[in-house]
Each structure stands twice: as structure tokens, then as C-alpha cells.
Amino acid sequence: LYNYLVRRRAVREILPRRADGMTLEVGSGISPISPADDRTVFTELSFQALRTLKGAQGAGHYVVADATRLPFKPGAFRRAVCSEVLEHIEDDSKAIREMTHALEPGGSLVVTFPHRRDFFAVDDRFVGHHRRYDLIEMLDMLQTSGFRALAVTKVLGPLEKLTMGAAAAFLTQLFPSGGIGKNLVSRPLPPAALVKVFDLFNRLYAAIARLDARIWPTRLASVLLIKAEKQKTHGA
């Protein structure tokens, strides 16, 4: 969807174009953020999701892993990406500590997250969020885990919140007994022409959503990005 396209673009803009060292993406699912190459490791709790992703991308390394128990040596990675993942994890602070452990001193972390606790609504429950985060809360959690924030960037604004809230409310009413994914997957594929129209509209809406994020203040952003650095004095 449009919000994924905006988020991926925002993360890739802040990552180095010619990266040296290894990159770790935590919780990639089937929609990764990092470019797929031989220096990138994708992790995900679901074996099926990783198998699907590997079949689609080919390049890269794929490891089934719990974000709160990453199976890597201390300092194995130069950078880590964790995009729209922490809000799905009950022990989110432990997941951040695991990423601290996996990064080399001075290594970077790029994290995106749903912003503002008082924005929590039907769309968050729909996708299984445990919480949303206030900015100061996320900054404190990163600092406690050994990171120093370098930059805070707005990714999506209130338009995204209104759009996804309306979509979640509609789907909840359409499938009141649950099983939304099963119902959608079992339906026949739409005509190719309709898919092309949707893709065009989706990309146009992504451009509008990027503009929306820019014009509103940070306090009204629905998704934020933080780039942080592992402090060199923090033990692995």
C-alpha cells in the first residue's frame, strides 16, 4: 500500500547508498525495507513469510528469528533496520536491546514506529498493535538501550491515520466475524486493468501522503523515523 511505499522511501533515503558491512532487517515480513543483496540479513518469526520473501527476492540472507532473541554474535552488523515492528512486540525494550547487542559500536539503527499514544484506534487494533509511541518515550527507550538519536524525520501525517482508520472500520464492518485475510485471499483475482488502475492510484496517494507529512508539525505525525547510533561506550 501507499504507506509502505512512503516508509520504504524514507528509510532508504537515510541509509547509505553504498553500504559497507552487514545490514540486519528485523521483522521484514514479506514487505522488506532494505535492498536485497549479499550484505543484508532479513529476519522474521514466520518461516512461511521468509520463504515467500526469498522466492520473490532471491538475493540476501534469511533467518527465522524472534526479535527478542536474535541469534547473532555481538557486533556482527554495521546497521539495523526495524520498521513498524516494535509496536507488535510485547517486550519491545528487549527487542531493542537485542539490536544493540547485534550492532558494532558506532553502528546505526533506523527505526520507524506509529506515533502518538492518543492516536490509538480501530486501525491499530485491526493490525495487532500493542501500542503507539510518543516521541519522547521512544527516544528514552533508545537511550536506555545504548543508542544516541541522530535524527528524527516525519514519515506520514494525519492523512494516513484517517485513511487507515476508515479502511479498518470498513473492513471490520464487512467481515464482522473475522477471517478477513481468508475471505480476501479466497476471492478471484481482479482484472489486470483494474490492478493497473489501483497501482497508479496507490502511487499517486503515496505522493500526497508524503506531502501531507511535510506540511504538518511533528507532533501530528502518524509515523516517525529515528536514526540512532550505538554509543561506543555501550558494551556488546
Side-chain angles (χ1 to χ4, degrees):
L1 290 177
Y2 73 94
N3 44 9
Y4 163 71
L5 296 179
V6 175
R7 187 162 43 89
R8 184 179 65 181
R9 175 171 171 168
V11 172
R12 291 190 177 185
E13 284 178 347
I14 209 166
L15 290 174
R17 290 186 179 274
R18 293 185 179 180
D20 55 348
M22 296 293 291
T23 298
L24 169 67
E25 180 163 340
V26 177
S28 63
I30 59 172
S31 300
I33 297 294
S34 308
D37 56 39
D38 60 0
R39 296 189 175 202
T40 303
V41 176
F42 299 94
T43 71
E44 170 58 43
L45 193 58
S46 166
F47 170 78
Q48 183 59 48
L50 275 188
R51 185 167 67 174
T52 299
L53 180 60
K54 184 176 182 180
Q57 293 191 146
H61 307 278
Y62 301 84
V63 178
V64 176
D66 185 332
T68 62
R69 293 191 296 272
L70 294 175
F72 304 112
K73 294 180 179 179
F77 296 92
R78 179 70 53 85
R79 68 197 58 81
V81 174
C82 184
S83 184
E84 307 300 285
V85 173
L86 293 173
E87 63 274 12
H88 295 276
I89 301 173
E90 289 190 21
D91 194 347
D92 51 352
S93 59
K94 185 176 182 183
I96 294 178
R97 292 195 301 272
E98 284 291 291
M99 286 182 273
T100 309
H101 182 78
L103 284 170
E104 64 183 35
S108 62
L109 169 67
V110 178
V111 58
T112 75
F113 57 95
H115 181 228
R116 290 190 65 117
R117 280 185 173 268
D118 56 5
F119 278 3
F120 194 93
V122 60
D123 54 318
D124 295 288
R125 292 188 289 271
F126 183 79
V127 295
H129 289 177
H130 290 289
R131 68 193 77 80
R132 299 179 75 89
Y133 299 90
D134 290 330
L135 176 56
I136 188 64
E137 177 185 14
M138 181 61 73
L139 290 172
D140 286 345
M141 189 159 55
L142 289 171
Q143 183 177 16
T144 300
S145 299
F147 288 101
R148 177 174 67 94
L150 302 177
V152 177
T153 304
K154 295 178 293 182
V155 178
L156 290 160
L159 176 64
E160 187 268 346
K161 182 63 186 175
L162 293 172
T163 302
M164 298 311 295
F170 172 75
L171 288 172
T172 301
Q173 290 296 318
L174 190 62
F175 303 106
S177 60
I180 295 172
K182 183 178 180 180
N183 277 281
L184 293 178
V185 169
S186 64
R187 296 189 176 201
L189 292 174
L194 184 59
V195 173
K196 290 183 178 179
V197 170
F198 175 80
D199 183 62
L200 179 63
F201 175 79
N202 191 53
R203 293 183 182 278
L204 175 62
Y205 209 67
I208 295 171
R210 283 196 300 271
L211 177 61
D212 178 68
R214 291 177 183 174
I215 64 177
W216 291 100
T218 299
R219 62 186 176 84
L220 293 180
S222 61
V223 175
L224 289 177
L225 178 153
I226 296 177
K227 181 179 181 180
E229 179 184 73
K230 178 179 174 179
Q231 299 180 59
K232 294 183 179 181
T233 57
H234 191 85

